[in-house]
Amino acid sequence: MYNNAFYSYFRLQSFSLGLSFTEIALKSLQLITMPVLAVMTVMVIMPRLPQALASLGLSERITRSAQQVGTEIARRHLLFVLAGLCLMAFWPYVQPFGWTAPVTVAFGLLMGLFTPGDQKPWQRGVSLTMAALLLVWAAGMAAGQQGRAAAERTADHLVSRTAVVVLSTDRLSMPGSPGPLVEDLGKDQHYRYRYSQLRLLVQRDQRYYALPLGWHHHTGPTYVIVDDDNLRIELYPGTQPPR
């Protein structure tokens, strides 16, 4: 989801780029942020909080109070489910924090597993399955938001990315506004035409995906340059922003 959101911002399909499994996995790790780790830790520790407090050597009174609080939360797990469903009902108004809706419902379902009383195995199985699906949905939404945010940062700081200069024996068709700077080096030159003011987005095989300086999401073109015998691709450091 991260890669899809990032590259679709530049009107590219991540699957068509030929990204390796390792690259996709490394990009996915960007979803593991401190807030995500904090939420996961709370969800894991909450059901076992009394045991955790007892292992710390705290007094029995504190442990008993924590157990009572946990029991009360488990008994009211349907309130968390209802709160999450309400967030879904107001979906357009809770963006960009829509992922909190499935997380709240999943938390309620998981707390319901610790409700005093017997539960049938199929009920526990349904709750676990639904909670897992909701958490996967929430993770996908969060990854998509991170991918789009990263794409927006890339577009805002495009000048700092690797510069691409294309030298061609023939004039290339690179329409769009803004476009590259085109220079005619003279008919005596083997590579007569020079295209500059481009920045590299990604390179795969012999394809270079480049954006012109001044690129805008709604109107800017994304160039796919296929390297062959009639082209020479030169890469230079991008201009670093002032510190």
Side-chain angles (χ1 to χ4, degrees):
M1 292 300 295
Y2 179 95
N3 290 321
N4 286 339
F6 181 87
Y7 289 111
S8 64
Y9 187 81
F10 303 104
R11 289 178 287 279
L12 297 173
Q13 295 295 324
S14 61
F15 295 107
S16 66
L17 298 177
L19 298 176
S20 67
F21 175 79
T22 302
E23 291 173 306
I24 295 175
L26 290 175
K27 286 291 186 181
S28 300
L29 290 177
Q30 299 187 26
L31 181 62
I32 309 301
T33 60
M34 188 59 68
V36 173
L37 289 175
V39 171
M40 293 174 63
T41 302
V42 169
M43 294 185 69
V44 171
I45 292 179
M46 182 66 72
R48 305 299 179 186
L49 185 59
Q51 294 88 331
L53 295 177
S55 65
L56 295 176
L58 299 178
S59 65
E60 184 179 351
R61 181 175 60 85
I62 296 178
T63 303
R64 190 183 306 111
S65 299
Q67 188 172 8
Q68 291 175 351
V69 171
T71 301
E72 290 300 319
I73 292 177
R75 285 175 176 171
R76 291 170 171 78
H77 69 280
L78 291 179
L79 293 178
F80 289 95
V81 176
L82 181 60
L85 294 176
C86 289
L87 290 175
M88 293 182 185
F90 292 96
W91 188 261
Y93 306 101
V94 297
Q95 302 303 324
F97 303 102
W99 55 269
T100 58
V103 168
T104 304
V105 176
F107 180 79
L109 293 174
L110 293 176
M111 288 298 99
L113 299 177
F114 300 92
T115 304
D118 296 332
Q119 286 187 337
K120 295 180 180 180
W122 69 268
Q123 292 176 321
R124 298 177 63 85
V126 170
S127 296
L128 283 172
T129 302
M130 288 299 299
L133 291 175
L134 288 167
L135 290 176
V136 170
W137 180 26
M141 284 192 295
Q145 290 176 358
Q146 285 193 7
R148 184 177 177 86
E152 292 174 347
R153 290 193 299 270
T154 297
D156 291 339
H157 301 90
L158 192 59
V159 68
S160 64
R161 296 185 70 86
T162 300
V164 180
V165 174
V166 181
L167 298 170
S168 174
T169 56
D170 302 310
R171 183 177 289 276
L172 303 176
S173 176
M174 301 181 73
S177 179
L181 175 64
V182 184
E183 300 173 85
D184 188 343
L185 303 180
K187 61 181 180 179
D188 296 332
Q189 298 293 326
H190 177 68
Y191 294 105
R192 178 173 178 175
Y193 299 98
R194 184 176 188 268
Y195 298 81
S196 59
Q197 294 189 0
L198 297 170
R199 292 297 185 266
L200 182 66
L201 179 63
V202 64
Q203 184 267 330
R204 285 294 176 278
D205 298 328
Q206 291 183 305
R207 293 174 297 172
Y208 294 79
Y209 299 84
L211 305 173
L213 290 179
W215 185 90
H216 192 272
H217 172 63
H218 297 292
T219 59
T222 300
Y223 298 119
V224 182
I225 304 169
V226 181
D227 193 7
D228 57 27
D229 294 337
N230 296 321
L231 297 179
R232 188 175 77 191
I233 309 296
E234 298 179 350
L235 304 178
Y236 298 93
T239 302
Q240 298 298 317
R243 297 183 178 179

